[in-house]
């Protein structure tokens, strides 16, 4: 008998004979489609009777399957759990409604745990609650720079200088998923696929911090469209200097945060493949998440493995397009592989590139990866020293910046804690040095030397960032208004070298 041109000979009985016809396949082919009665694997020895699992093999394989799927869920949903942890952290400080804006009025310092936030930016954060508020208006004053990300930290739209208002200010209308009601004229539309969304706004402080704060607190308004005739006042919560956490956990709480997201957001916010894997570990919309003791243990292990994986990808990336100077053995990398902020190309998602960014940063917009000579900003990160070793907080290191640092505005180096990826907590409240730092010393040839050590080298206090014995750290070099020599790489920072 033939089916699709393939002869099915195995297990057919020849007419008039009790003899079974021989299968027309080789022993090697049979071995390839079979499993031995005993096989040693990385998860232990598995046993079978002619292909049927025996004894502990069933539980061992199921444990491995659940642990593996949970690890994938951790890694594939970093963006969601991270940005919702930011919003949860802000809510704990009173910014718990869309019209309550968290503002770092004295800038952000090391007291607050926020992944790789800087000390030079006036931040304002908020989140929408479209399921409760319906279409929501965001009135932005002139000069803002910002964006809206959805609950999976996917880009929705730019606001301000890079948005449709071109920095002149204007009214934006955020529509709930699947909204089919009337849409009035006079608004720039934002259409996220989720109800809880992250609003990131940044104010320019080139004319001073106080007028920048007044611009935000006097001109930024958020309210439901239904209340446009008489909206409740927009409130501003000053969170500068407050010791609270916005960084996501890596234990069971991680999956509890993800469950809250799944319960809150529409079913079609993510595809069936991702939702199916999340469901396979017990997180299902409309159902209570109640893992038993066995599953709790596996979820905690998955969080540890996911955490470890993200740290390996960060410190030793094997992703094309991440090295800033790929022709050398430089440790300087960028957060976006190939400056791709969607992490997708040629129909495929770059999973490791997505992990690298979401583990180390919060909030995504294509504007972050657009380098325009003399405008905006560009960043470089180093997890390892010149010898490709982790930085040791008990030792002294030096970064040399060659003459004529190519920036239109200023440059800055900020130091971060490798555990929290937040500003390193030391006696320096703002762990940054740069061209605007009071007392920074420039070498006679126009170059700079920056030191990282527990104590300042003599005479270099203005060029020093404090480290902590027993802890590691990593730096970000930020170039504000980068010029052509930075963009075309004819000027480049030195590697960070251990001072013997």
């Amino acid at each position: 008998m033939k089916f699709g041109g393939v002869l099915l000979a195995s297990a057919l009985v020849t007419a008039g004979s009790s003899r079974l016809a021989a299968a027309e396949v080789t022993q090697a082919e049979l071995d390839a489609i079979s499993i031995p009665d005993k096989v040693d694997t990385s998860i232990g020895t598995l046993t079978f009777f002619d292909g049927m699992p025996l004894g502990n093999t069933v539980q061992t394989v199921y444990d491995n399957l659940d642990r593996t799927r949970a690890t994938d869920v951790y890694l594939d949903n970093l963006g969601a759990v991270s940005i919702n942890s930011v919003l949860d952290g802000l809510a704990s400080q009173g910014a718990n409604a869309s019209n309550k804006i968290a503002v770092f009025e004295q800038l952000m310092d090391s007291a607050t745990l926020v992944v790789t936030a800087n000390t030079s930016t006036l931040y304002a954060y908020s989140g929408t609650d479209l399921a409760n508020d319906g279409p929501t208006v965001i009135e932005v004053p002139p000069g803002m720079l910002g964006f809206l990300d959805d609950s999976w930290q996917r880009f929705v739209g730019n606001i301000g200088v890079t948005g449709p208002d071109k920095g002149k200010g204007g009214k934006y209308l955020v529509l709930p998923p699947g909204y089919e009601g009337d849409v009035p004229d006079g608004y720039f539309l934002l259409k996220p696929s989720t109800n809880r969304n992250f609003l990131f706004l940044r104010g320019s402080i080139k004319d001073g911090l106080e007028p920048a704060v007044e611009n935000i607190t006097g001109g930024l308004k958020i309210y439901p469209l239904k209340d446009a005739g008489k909206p409740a006042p927009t409130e501003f919560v000053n969170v500068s200097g407050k010791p609270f956490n916005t960084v996501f956990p890596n234990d069971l709480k991680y999956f509890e945060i993800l469950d809250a997201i799944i319960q809150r957001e529409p079913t079609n916010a993510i595809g069936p493949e991702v939702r199916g894997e999340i469901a396979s570990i017990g997180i299902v919309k409309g159902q209570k998440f109640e893992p038993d003791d066995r599953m709790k243990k596996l979820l905690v292990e998955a969080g540890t493995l996911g955490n470890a994986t993200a740290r390996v990808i960060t410190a030793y990336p094997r992703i094309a397009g991440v090295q800033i100077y790929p022709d050398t053995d430089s440790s300087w990398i960028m957060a976006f592989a190939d400056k791709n902020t969607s992490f997708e190309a040629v129909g495929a998602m770059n999973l490791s590139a997505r992990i690298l960014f979401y583990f180390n940063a919060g909030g995504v917009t294509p504007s972050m990866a657009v380098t325009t000579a003399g405008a905006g900003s560009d960043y470089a990160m180093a997890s390892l020293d010149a010898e490709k070793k982790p930085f040791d907080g008990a030792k002294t290191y030096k970064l040399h910046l060659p003459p004529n640092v190519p920036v239109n505005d200023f440059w800055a180096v900020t130091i971060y804690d490798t555990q929290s990826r937040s500003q390193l907590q030391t006696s320096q409240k703002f762990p940054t040095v740069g061209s605007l730092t009071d007392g920074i010393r420039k070498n006679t040839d126009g170059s700079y030397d920056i030191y990282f050590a527990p104590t300042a080298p003599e005479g270099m206090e203005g060029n020093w960032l404090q480290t902590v014995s027993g802890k590691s750290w990593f730096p970000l070099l930020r170039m504000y208004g980068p010029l052509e020599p930075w963009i075309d790489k004819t000027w480049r920072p030195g590697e960070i070298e251990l001072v013997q």
Side-chain angles (χ1 to χ4, degrees):
M1 180 175 69
K2 288 186 178 181
F3 181 78
V6 179
L7 180 64
L8 302 180
S10 180
L12 293 181
V13 179
T14 305
S17 170
S18 61
R19 184 177 63 84
L20 291 176
E24 295 184 1
V25 295
T26 67
Q27 185 61 45
E29 289 176 299
L30 287 174
D31 289 344
I33 64 175
S34 305
I35 194 166
D37 285 349
K38 182 179 179 181
V39 57
D40 292 324
T41 75
S42 61
I43 62 171
T45 299
L46 307 179
T47 59
F48 300 85
F49 169 65
D50 198 28
M52 294 299 293
L54 297 175
N56 293 334
T57 293
V58 174
Q59 192 61 54
T60 299
V61 170
Y62 269 132
D63 285 351
N64 182 63
L65 177 63
D66 290 340
R67 185 188 302 107
T68 300
R69 284 180 171 168
T71 303
D72 284 342
V73 166
Y74 174 101
L75 294 171
D76 290 345
N77 294 276
L78 272 175
V81 177
S82 176
I83 212 65
N84 279 269
S85 294
V86 171
L87 292 170
D88 290 345
L90 299 174
S92 73
Q93 302 303 302
N96 55 4
S98 59
N99 70 326
K100 295 181 179 181
I101 318 299
V103 183
F104 290 85
E105 294 186 13
Q106 289 79 42
L107 302 180
M108 189 180 298
D109 59 44
S110 59
T112 308
L113 300 186
V114 181
V115 288
T116 57
N118 70 60
T119 64
S120 309
T121 293
L122 174 58
Y123 290 113
Y125 295 156
S126 184
T128 66
D129 182 6
L130 302 180
N132 181 64
D133 297 342
T136 298
V137 178
I138 303 172
E139 293 187 21
V140 296
M144 300 307 298
L145 183 67
F147 56 86
L148 188 75
D149 282 354
D150 78 359
S151 213
W152 263 265
Q153 205 174 157
R154 297 170 298 201
F155 174 70
V156 177
N158 282 323
I159 295 172
V161 174
T162 56
D165 73 276
K166 306 299 183 184
K168 297 177 182 178
K171 294 182 179 181
Y172 289 77
L173 182 60
V174 188
L175 299 178
Y179 180 74
E180 296 180 352
D182 293 334
V183 178
D185 295 331
Y187 295 93
F188 301 116
L189 299 183
L190 294 169
K191 300 179 179 180
S193 59
T194 56
N195 290 307
R196 195 188 200 195
N197 304 286
F198 174 62
L199 174 64
F200 172 102
L201 292 173
R202 190 164 77 180
S204 172
I205 59 173
K206 66 178 181 179
D207 297 322
L209 181 57
E210 187 174 336
V213 172
E214 290 176 354
N215 185 50
I216 288 179
T217 57
L220 178 61
K221 299 177 182 178
I222 301 179
Y223 52 86
L225 178 65
K226 65 179 184 291
D227 299 335
K230 192 177 181 180
T234 298
E235 301 177 29
F236 297 92
V237 181
N238 182 11
V239 291
S240 280
K242 292 188 176 181
F244 66 97
N245 177 42
T246 71
V247 183
F248 59 90
N250 302 294
D251 53 15
L252 184 62
K253 180 66 176 176
Y254 181 99
F255 299 96
E256 292 172 346
I257 295 171
L258 181 59
D259 175 63
I261 299 168
I262 290 294
Q263 302 306 327
R264 179 171 56 243
E265 301 302 345
T267 301
N268 61 359
I270 53 176
E273 191 82 16
V274 175
R275 186 171 292 277
E277 189 158 51
I278 294 171
S280 75
I281 64 169
I283 298 176
V284 180
K285 188 174 179 64
Q287 297 181 20
K288 191 172 182 179
F289 179 46
E290 295 182 305
D292 57 20
D293 289 343
R294 166 190 165 273
M295 196 64 194
K296 286 179 181 178
K297 178 176 181 293
L298 294 173
L299 291 172
V300 171
E301 289 178 1
T304 299
L305 291 171
N307 184 10
T309 301
R311 292 178 185 276
V312 168
I313 289 172
T314 297
Y316 301 93
R318 59 181 188 183
I319 314 163
V322 167
Q323 303 295 335
I324 297 178
Y325 308 104
D327 57 325
T328 70
D329 198 32
S330 173
S331 292
W332 291 109
I333 65 172
M334 67 182 80
F336 293 112
D338 293 317
K339 294 203 167 184
N340 182 346
T341 59
S342 72
F343 317 107
E344 185 176 348
V346 198
M349 182 65 69
N350 189 331
L351 300 176
S352 291
R354 186 171 64 180
I355 291 166
L356 173 63
F357 180 80
Y358 284 144
F359 191 73
N360 297 288
V364 62
T365 167
S367 300
M368 288 179 170
V370 176
T371 305
T372 303
S377 57
D378 208 0
Y379 312 144
M381 180 174 76
S383 296
L384 305 172
D385 68 13
E387 301 299 321
K388 292 295 189 278
K389 295 179 180 178
F391 296 108
D392 183 343
K395 299 177 180 179
T396 298
Y397 297 82
K398 183 176 75 171
L399 166 63
H400 181 71
L401 300 179
N404 304 314
V405 181
V407 289
N408 189 45
D409 300 323
F410 65 97
W411 60 267
V413 178
T414 303
I415 193 170
Y416 295 94
D417 185 318
T418 52
Q419 290 285 16
S420 68
R421 290 92 68 207
S422 303
Q423 294 173 26
L424 187 66
Q425 295 182 334
T426 66
S427 63
Q428 295 174 325
K429 183 178 179 181
F430 296 95
T432 297
V433 295
S435 54
L436 299 182
T437 299
D438 289 338
I440 192 167
R441 289 179 55 178
K442 184 188 293 189
N443 298 325
T444 55
D445 64 353
S447 66
Y448 292 89
D449 290 315
I450 306 301
Y451 290 88
F452 309 85
T455 57
E458 187 175 351
M460 300 302 294
E461 289 80 4
N463 296 49
W464 165 66
L465 284 169
Q466 187 175 22
T467 60
V468 179
S469 182
K471 285 195 64 61
S472 189
W473 53 271
F474 68 96
L476 258 68
L477 168 63
R478 290 181 168 89
M479 309 287 279
Y480 292 91
L483 300 175
E484 283 295 343
W486 167 264
I487 297 170
D488 64 21
K489 303 178 184 178
T490 55
W491 182 97
R492 55 185 288 182
E495 299 300 299
I496 301 178
E497 299 180 338
L498 180 65
V499 176
Q500 300 293 341

